[in-house]
Amino acid sequence: MKQFDYVRPATVAEAVAAAAQPGAVYLAAGTNLLDLMKGNISRPDLLVDVTHLDGLDGIERLADGSLRIGALVSNADLAHDAEFAKAYPAVAEALLSGASAQLRNAATVGGNLLQRTRCAYFYDTASRCNKREPGSGCDARDGENRTHAVLGWSESCIATHPSDFCVPLVALDAIVEIEGKNGRREIALDELHRLPGNTPERESALEPGDLIVAVRLPPAARGFAPHARYLKVRERTSYAFAIVSAAAALRVENGKIAEARLALGGVAAKPWRARAAEEVLSGSAPTADAFQEAASCALADAKPSGDNSYKIELARRIVVRALTLAAAGTPARIPALPASPFASTSGAMHA
Amino acid sequence: MPELNLTSAPAHLRHGSSIGQPLTRRDGVLKVKGQATYAADNHPPGMLFAVMAVSSIAHGRVTSLDVAAAKRHPGVVDVMTPDHKPQLAIDPEIKTNPFVFRMEVLQSNEVRYANQPIAVVIAETLEAATEGALLLAPRYEVLPALVGLDAGESFVPPVVGVGNPAENTHGDVEAGLASADKKIEVTYETPPQYHNAMEPHAIVAAWDGDRLQIDMPTQGLMLSLARVAELFGIAPDKIHIRSPFLGGGFGSKGLMAGPPVLGIMAAKLVGKPVKLVLRREQMYGPVGHRAPTRQRLRIGTDAEGRLTALDHHARTVSSTFDDFYEPAADASHTLYVAPAIRTSHDAVRVNTGTPLFMRAPGEATGSIALESAIDEMAWACGMDPLAFRLKNYAEVEPITGKPFSSKALRACYDQGAARFGWAKRPLQPRQMRDDDGLLVGWGVGTATFPALMFQAEARAAIRRDGTGAMEIGAHDMGQGAWTALAQIAADAVGLDIDRVTFKAGTSDLPDAGIAGGSAHTATAGAAIHSAGAAVIAKLADLATNDERSPLFGAGNAGVIARDGKLIRRDDESRSESYTEILARAGVAEVEARGTGAPNPAAMEEYAMHAHGAVFAEVKVDPELGQIRVSRMVGAFAAGRIVNPHLVKSQLFGGMIWGMSFALHEEAITDRRSGRIMNANLGEYHIPVNADVPPLDVITVEEHDPHVNALGIKGVGEIGITGSAGAVANAVWHATGVRVRRFPIRIEELLAQR
């Protein structure tokens, strides 16, 4: 491996100062970064290990009803926090559908948000990739691309963002708290990840040195708890990224949908919030027709980027199913096979 | 490596026959405690680390390597390239016997496939060697890559598999099809697959003058020894290979591949011990794989559903520089009776590492296509797929007309179907749903694998202290050879298993043959059995020729060995312990050798195969197309079962692999570059625990007097056959959609709903 420096800052301010240097990257659990380094995809000069920073591993309920999740909380600890799972069941289900138990024990909240795409051409350093090497071209565009993006892609890049966790978070209007060179700021999660356009190498709104310190769920996010699901179609039952996934959350009042939230995963370079589809559902009864219409609306702008037109139809069906499951009500316990179409299969053991 | 001591576990103390007992692995505790020494666990003093640089192109030449940059990196000791390497004694391109495959050991700058080794960096640390390999920054002259089953002009290979004719004909297929009442013609495709043993290929090589110590996982100690000896021009007795444990092999560690040879060369170059371990992605190239196939089946039946013709053609690929042809169509030789059967193969050459044996080579690929097509034919006849298979049950081997040495397949069908509940299966597809509205389907597949034997030798001894020893250079790939062969050894010398020192896994022991072809237990077991009989005969000579012995005059044939005693067969009150016999004779031990080998006369007379029937239930989401296997039952008849516990594990593993074949596994090759795009265990999908349903294995009683003295047929590979087809057929039965490309993908089930 390339030799690199390693620092373990004592404070967030020290961390930000260290990571603002050229060639520096943050190291949290490293479940993605270390693979990238071993594969020579990332060649940082300096690792800024944030795992020993104080105060970033708490889950706290704020006075206004928000929930603040420290960036170093592990995916497993968050998903298994009973209060959290009760208030934000779709988020917990999404977390438990991701990766493997071992990875979830290590991976952090902040790291999950910033994980890189799983596009094989990004990982294969002999391939052209505009994200890895700006201006080199995109070998995925005419390559093996049946799992690539169908929304928001460009000729420069057809990669997807692989996170499960981000999908319900973006549906619930999560806010990202960032510490940077100029102090603390916050942005909507929906604005954190960027679509590729002509600059796929710029994946997020973060500036050099920016450190995600927390993710906040606003007070309204709790209101969806009785009707919130995450659904993920994948090619094996566990330890696989989504072909397509969806988070659906409804606020049902007097038999009508007062408010709907819908986001898709595995379809674009960012977790894809389907606002127009939400509008369609708002005020309507939770019927199959309404869900179909919402699904069509959510995928109205979709187009295949390669050998993947099936993903558009699959996404429509997943939207309908996720909405149907959400309307039926959040189950009392997270299923043994979280987010799986086989979630209800009896006798299944935890994935 | 500490001496293995597998003889004292009290849990194994028992009396009576060891064969047939469900012992747990005798090496299990070592493995659970991390004390089993695998090749890469060895660290001789002064050892350096070697890392291969591999080609990122599939075809062309390396035009430059920045050796200076690599050497400047701190810790790098040397860089082995085509211009700077120890000379081999023979050209590695020469095939000195049919089990020698061509390898890349830096003999030229030519690149013939992606991930081919092009240099080796040797350094004081793994990290330095890894970075040194990157700093080589190779430049290439790139030639167009040949990729896929249509890469070029096809040709008929001289042989397929191991010496099988590419074409086999019995009867008149065209006439059979012309006269058929119903016929189908279907084409199936299977993808390239890689062995992906959990333990990567690894070697620790240390030269001491002209002596060579090697730690390396191998399924073939003696073949490896012979190949190393000829490549380095040293006598075999100067080489010592230790391979006590393999973390899986599946065929990829059967024959000497290039990377371990590079490790030995590197050790020679730097004059120090060297360790070379392949990275996971480097296993997708130089160490073999299962070639892709495209199989066309034409099948005809008469009005009663009897086959009139079976025509099975398989297209496959080999490398541009060597020959191995997946004998997929040969799966049609043995299972279904038909007046006309033709199997044929053709191939194209592509820029790939040479394909190789991979668990059930030919049978696995051929079985999924044949079992699917047979199902299609049954459906065309309006028949239950099991009834159709029984209607076309082969009483003699169809392609040769030979009787079977034994064949309990009917019992497999019966017992499997009963356990599974097959009788309730609706004929029409897409008829069953579970309580959650998921589609449910049931499928069956017939399993088959030849009962092979290779050559082996064993050495047995009985000592004056009443203990025994059995030595054979056998291989434990995880299948349990340390246990099953020790059970055979215990019975062979008439001692409790814990009174027999069983030695295996090193090249200084008698040749156990190769652990492949599902033949290791049979072959090594036969040698052990015969060595045991020989040593008992010597002991009996001592006793029966000594008038002081209660066995005097009993004659060899009149004595049996049990519990450390020789007992007069016709009068069990007359016996004498091994200790007494040897003490009186004044010898420390008696020793004898025995061999195991195929019996040509029996092979001439009989067709020898293991059989099985696998039943699978799948659930499919009707809208989303995701598939989940929910239940599998496999009933297998494989002759004598030496250890039911280990056999069950082998069959479970095979059945899971069959499921993997149908639903998960595929190496995705970029059609332009020829590079494999999912060369890691995150993206090359195999089933995870959550995919594996309750599995039920039935071992059907079968006595085979012909295959070998012990009646063992072997279970290493049969589990994958039948299982893959059963799952594929269940998917059809659930959905009504027949997918003819594997693995079955979600999009193919979305098209129709």
Side-chain angles (χ1 to χ4, degrees), chain A residues 77-104:
Chain A
D77 283 349
L78 184 59
H80 293 301
D81 183 288
E83 278 298 302
F84 177 81
K86 196 157 179 242
Y88 314 100
V91 186
E93 191 168 14
L95 279 168
L96 293 176
S97 75
S100 63
Q102 294 88 339
L103 285 164
R104 293 193 295 269

Side-chain angles (χ1 to χ4, degrees), chain A residues 197-290:
Chain A
N198 293 322
T199 53
E201 72 279 12
R202 289 227 47 199
E203 294 177 347
S204 79
L206 298 182
E207 299 294 332
D210 277 356
L211 178 67
I212 294 177
V213 292
V215 172
R216 215 167 64 234
L217 283 161
R222 280 172 192 275
F224 296 92
H227 295 281
R229 289 304 297 271
Y230 183 67
L231 179 66
K232 174 180 179 182
V233 168
R234 56 201 129 163
E235 293 183 316
R236 60 182 168 188
T237 307
S238 181
Y239 192 43
F241 294 98
I243 304 253
V244 179
S245 68
L250 303 173
R251 203 154 52 70
V252 181
E253 287 175 3
N254 304 320
K256 293 212 164 169
I257 299 169
E259 191 181 0
R261 299 290 179 83
L262 182 66
L264 291 161
V267 293
K270 60 185 290 185
W272 191 265
R273 180 83 178 262
R275 285 199 167 78
E278 293 173 2
E279 287 306 311
V280 165
L281 292 167
S282 180
S284 70
T287 62
D289 285 350

Side-chain angles (χ1 to χ4, degrees), chain A residues 1-3 37-40 43 118 120-121 124-128 138-146 231-241 243 292 307 310-311 313-314 317-318 321 337 340-342 344-351, chain B residues 56 73-74 126-132 134-135 279 281 434 436 438 619-628 630 663-664 668-673 675 677-678 681-688 690-692 745-747 749-753:
Chain A
M1 283 171 83
K2 177 188 167 183
Q3 295 194 354
M37 290 172 69
K38 284 191 271 186
N40 201 34
R43 288 179 65 82
R118 294 284 159 170
Y121 294 90
D124 175 34
T125 54
S127 290
R128 298 179 305 154
C138 172
D139 274 338
R141 186 72 179 90
D142 295 313
E144 305 303 318
N145 51 22
R146 58 180 283 277
L231 179 66
K232 174 180 179 182
V233 168
R234 56 201 129 163
E235 293 183 316
R236 60 182 168 188
T237 307
S238 181
Y239 192 43
F241 294 98
I243 304 253
Q292 290 283 0
D307 195 15
Y310 75 96
K311 284 183 68 165
E313 175 60 18
L314 179 61
R317 295 186 194 180
I318 287 173
R321 177 72 64 82
L337 299 177
S340 166
F342 300 98
S344 57
T345 302
S346 60
M349 283 175 283
H350 270 280
Chain B
S56 64
H73 188 71
L126 175 63
E127 291 78 7
T130 304
E131 183 64 11
L134 277 173
L135 291 169
R279 293 165 65 104
E281 66 269 23
D434 71 3
D436 300 309
L438 296 167
K619 297 192 174 184
V620 182
D621 188 295
E623 282 94 30
L624 307 181
Q626 195 170 323
I627 304 165
R628 182 172 168 78
S630 44
L663 302 180
H664 298 294
I668 297 164
T669 313
D670 183 277
R671 60 201 98 160
R672 301 155 301 178
S673 70
R675 281 196 297 278
M677 302 309 294
N678 60 339
L681 290 179
E683 309 290 335
Y684 181 97
H685 285 179
I686 58 171
V688 295
D691 291 301
V692 179
R745 293 289 190 212
I746 283 168
E747 55 263 45
L749 300 181
L750 288 181
Q752 300 173 44
R753 37 190 316 207

Side-chain angles (χ1 to χ4, degrees), chain B residues 680-703:
Chain B
N680 61 75
L681 290 179
E683 309 290 335
Y684 181 97
H685 285 179
I686 58 171
V688 295
N689 279 330
D691 291 301
V692 179
L695 299 173
D696 200 348
V697 159
I698 302 166
T699 47
V700 170
E701 190 81 13
E702 190 177 62
H703 297 280

